[in-house]
Structures are given as C-alpha cells and as structure tokens.
Amino acid sequence: MLPGRMHPFTVASLAGWALVVASAARLRGRPYAAFAGVLLGVHTLSAVALYPHAGRLGPLFAYLHATVYVHFLLLARPRLRSRPFRALVSGPAHYFVAASFLALPWAAAAALGFAPRALWLPYALGLLGLVDSLVTREEVVDLPLDGAPVEGLRRHGRGGARSPRPLRLAQITDPHLGPFMSEGRLARICERAVARDPDLVLLTGDFLTMESQGDPGALARALAPLRALPGRVFACRGNHDLEAPDVVARALESVGVRLLIDEAALVETGAGPVQIVGLDFAWRERAARMARVCAEHPRVPGALRLVLLHDPGAFGHLPEGEGDLVLSGHTHGGQLGLLRLGLPHTVVSALTKIPDHGFWARGPDRLYVHRGTGHYGFPLRLGVPAEQSLLLVHAAKG
C-alpha cells in the first residue's frame, strides 16, 4: 500500500457512514440524520482505529461492523423485523456499537500509535451486556410501607413488619417493543405476570421504539395475555408514548388495560381497597401539574394510594403525603452499573440525583423504581439485568 493511502476498511467505513447519513436526511429528516451522523461517526472512528489490531478476528470484526451500517440504514424506514434479521443484523449491530463505545480508550491509544492491550475486554463486557439485555430476571420483592417520615430523598431498606395478606402487584415498565423486545418475548413476560395471579398489573410506560411505532397491532398482540385479568390492569404513559399516543391508547384499550392520564381509579382487591392515580408524563411545570391532579383526586379514606409515575425524577415534585407507594420506571435501573456485582451503583446514580432503581423514601411516601423489562437509547444494558418482579406491598396498619 502506498504511503498516505487509506486502508480499504477505512474507505468502506466512511462510505457506509456517508450513505446512512444521506439516506437518513432524505427519508427521515434532519433530526435522525444528526443522531445517526454523531453516533456512527464516533463508532466509525473507534472501529477504524481498532481494526488493524483485530488479528485473526478481523473477518468477524468486519462483519459486525457492517451490520451496524445495515441496521442504521434500514432505520430510515423503521419497522419491526423478523427473528432472523434481529439475530443476524440488529442484535450484532447493537452489541458492536456498544462495545465500540466501551473500547474508545483503546481506540484512542491505537490512534496515538500505542498497541491497545487487553483489547478483548470491552468486547467481552459487551457480550455480558447482551445477556443482561436478553434475559429477564424474575424476583419477589417485599415493600413494607411503614409510613415513618424520612428526611430528604434516599434509598430505603426493605425491613419491617410483614402483612399476613400483602397486596400482590406485577409491574411491567419500559418494554420498548423493538430489536431486543419482540412481540413474543413481551407476550411471555405478560403470561408470566398473569400466571402469578396478582391483585393488579401496573404498566408504567414506554411501550414502543421507533421500530414499533409504525405497526398499530404489534403492541396489542404482545399485551394480549393481559386480557385474562379484566379490571385488574392499569397503565400510565411514559415519554416515548407521547411520540405515538394513539397507537398506545388503542393497543391498551383493545386488551382491556385502563390508561390513566392524570386520572384515578378505585379498585377492590383481596388486600383491601386500592386507589390508583395515573400521572401523565410531562417535561415542564411538574410540581404544579401534580398538585392539581392530586387536588382533583383526593385520597379515598381507608384505601391504599398507589401512584403511577413513569419518571422517578419527578417523585420530588409530588406533594408530600400523596403517595403511599409510587411506582416508576424510565431509568432502566440505571442501565449501566454494578448490580451484577451486588453493588447499587449505576451511571444514573453517579451523574444525577435521580432515583435509579429499587426502594426509596421521602417524607412518608415510598417509591419503587423498577429496572424495566427492555431498554432504549444506549444499545445494551450492562451490569443491570432486566426485571420482572412480583411486588408484595405490606401496608401499615391503622
């Protein structure tokens, strides 16, 4: 090769990046083109720097790299894809994009002329993330509601008195129907929730991705098992549901799920009466909006008050004393963290003050942040497994 001449891998990578950005701009508009341009630009620089160090795995590296451009090219016309396509293209593409981002320090070293040592490490971590993204952990979680006032917002222990008949809740949040959450996988999650015979199934938003927004029947088919629990399934909306509100509303209605948009419902359960308040997602004026909804739907005497609130970051804006238990999602449990190692730390907790996962307290109110069954945004979970829990809510007496 002549000095200064680019390697064919580099030429092909730059051509792939340019093709995706141009197609995105023409078929979907500037916002997606900008997103794809930045994301794939960083990925391309990382892959180009590391490819010469791939050794015998060069052909595999090149194949995975190619799936990235194919996947993002086809997202210019998003739709749910077949299982073979997800297995051969979408899954490998998400894995390789995530691994390439994890490998940025190695790519920087290679670009500066150093030999990147232990290059296998970010790609091995990506494989672990693939497992966390595809496997849903089933758990039983005890949530004692002692009502004791707690100063500030903080993680809360799950010790305390247990009720002889706790309220049994199945929460499903952030399924994000798409490459990692097929109709079949979400249907099986719903089937397992129904099989546990909960008092209530509560859906706390973010049902779709850009791939599933264009198929009006996909979400309804995936949630169909919930028809077995008429009058026992309620939902609120998340931020991504506002991108296709009619699709979400029709799907929920078709399977008998009651969508609460700043509304309340009273349900009789085997554990006693339960009032459910569904707060809609909002970016602005949260405190005023939540105060208004709570005033319009005051507490029902003798009923346990549950609040469905997609974003736990808004928990601090809820008027104190309005939620015996608030159920949230949104964070995907932090998505990148050390939960697999038995430690609570995640990227969300490191960079923000937003409750990322688990049980929290503020004043007399309690919050449970579900890790979610799917994910969106960063291509993989890593160290934060998906969750499917049966929540046993032990209400305080008196």
Side-chain angles (χ1 to χ4, degrees):
M1 183 181 296
L2 295 175
R5 190 172 179 181
M6 284 195 294
H7 192 281
F9 183 88
T10 303
V11 174
S13 299
L14 293 175
W17 174 82
L19 176 62
V20 171
V21 174
S23 299
R26 183 165 180 249
L27 298 175
R28 289 198 63 187
R30 289 185 178 180
Y32 178 65
F35 164 75
V38 172
L39 179 66
L40 291 188
V42 174
H43 167 79
T44 298
L45 291 175
S46 177
V48 164
L50 294 174
Y51 177 72
H53 304 276
R56 295 179 182 178
L57 296 178
L60 177 60
F61 192 101
Y63 164 72
L64 293 170
H65 185 57
T67 65
V68 173
Y69 298 109
V70 173
H71 173 75
F72 280 92
L73 179 64
L74 293 180
L75 277 183
R77 282 284 185 260
R79 63 180 177 85
L80 289 172
R81 306 285 173 177
S82 66
R83 180 179 295 179
F85 184 90
R86 295 198 309 271
L88 295 174
V89 178
S90 295
H94 281 77
Y95 158 73
F96 201 60
V97 167
S100 294
F101 270 77
L102 294 173
L104 281 174
W106 286 262
L112 293 173
F114 298 100
R117 298 183 180 277
L119 182 55
W120 57 268
L121 181 58
Y123 296 96
L125 289 174
L127 287 175
L128 293 176
L130 199 59
V131 173
D132 282 331
S133 300
L134 291 171
V135 177
T136 305
R137 178 189 290 181
E138 293 193 66
E139 305 168 43
V140 176
V141 179
D142 286 290
L143 300 177
L145 306 183
D146 55 16
V150 172
E151 185 176 351
L153 173 65
R154 65 186 188 190
R155 291 191 189 276
H156 194 58
R158 296 207 292 266
R162 301 299 195 258
S163 306
R165 175 50 169 96
L167 179 70
R168 296 165 54 87
L169 303 178
Q171 182 184 359
I172 298 175
T173 192
D174 298 86
H176 289 296
L177 193 62
F180 282 101
M181 183 62 66
S182 65
E183 288 182 31
R185 182 184 175 194
L186 182 51
R188 289 190 292 274
I189 288 170
C190 292
E191 287 170 358
R192 289 196 292 269
V194 170
R196 287 176 149 180
D197 191 27
D199 296 303
L200 298 167
V201 177
L202 302 173
L203 314 178
T204 45
D206 273 9
F207 299 99
L208 304 175
T209 62
M210 65 177 72
E211 290 96 329
S212 54
Q213 289 175 8
D215 186 345
L219 182 59
R221 292 190 294 269
L223 298 179
L226 298 179
R227 288 195 185 100
L229 299 176
R232 293 157 66 181
V233 189
F234 297 83
C236 70
R237 297 193 300 193
N239 51 303
H240 288 290
D241 300 320
L242 302 183
E243 298 168 10
D246 293 338
V247 173
V248 171
R250 285 194 296 268
L252 295 175
E253 183 181 16
S254 71
V255 297
V257 177
R258 182 173 173 184
L259 176 60
L260 299 175
I261 301 177
D262 291 340
E263 299 172 277
L266 184 64
V267 188
E268 288 293 336
T269 74
V274 176
Q275 183 187 29
I276 306 169
V277 180
L279 293 173
D280 200 20
F281 183 87
W283 290 111
R284 299 178 180 178
E285 299 179 351
R286 293 178 171 185
R289 184 170 185 167
M290 295 164 79
R292 174 181 59 78
V293 175
C294 290
E296 292 174 352
H297 302 282
R299 280 182 171 275
V300 174
L304 181 71
R305 186 169 166 101
L306 303 181
V307 176
L308 308 185
L309 177 67
H310 175 72
D311 179 7
F315 177 58
H317 298 296
L318 183 70
E320 191 168 301
E322 289 290 350
D324 295 327
L325 177 63
V326 179
L327 297 170
S328 295
H330 187 60
T331 62
H332 310 156
Q335 193 154 335
L336 308 177
L338 303 176
L339 273 65
R340 280 288 188 192
L341 302 179
L343 301 172
H345 313 295
T346 70
V347 169
V348 172
S349 63
L351 300 179
T352 76
K353 295 182 179 180
I354 297 173
D356 51 355
H357 62 84
F359 202 31
W360 294 73
R362 185 217 55 180
D365 302 323
R366 300 295 181 260
L367 166 72
Y368 185 73
V369 185
H370 192 286
R371 296 194 305 273
T373 50
H375 68 279
Y376 201 34
F378 188 76
L380 296 177
R381 289 175 174 268
L382 182 57
V384 180
E387 175 183 359
Q388 181 168 18
S389 294
L390 178 66
L391 307 179
L392 303 182
V393 181
H394 304 272
K397 296 181 180 180

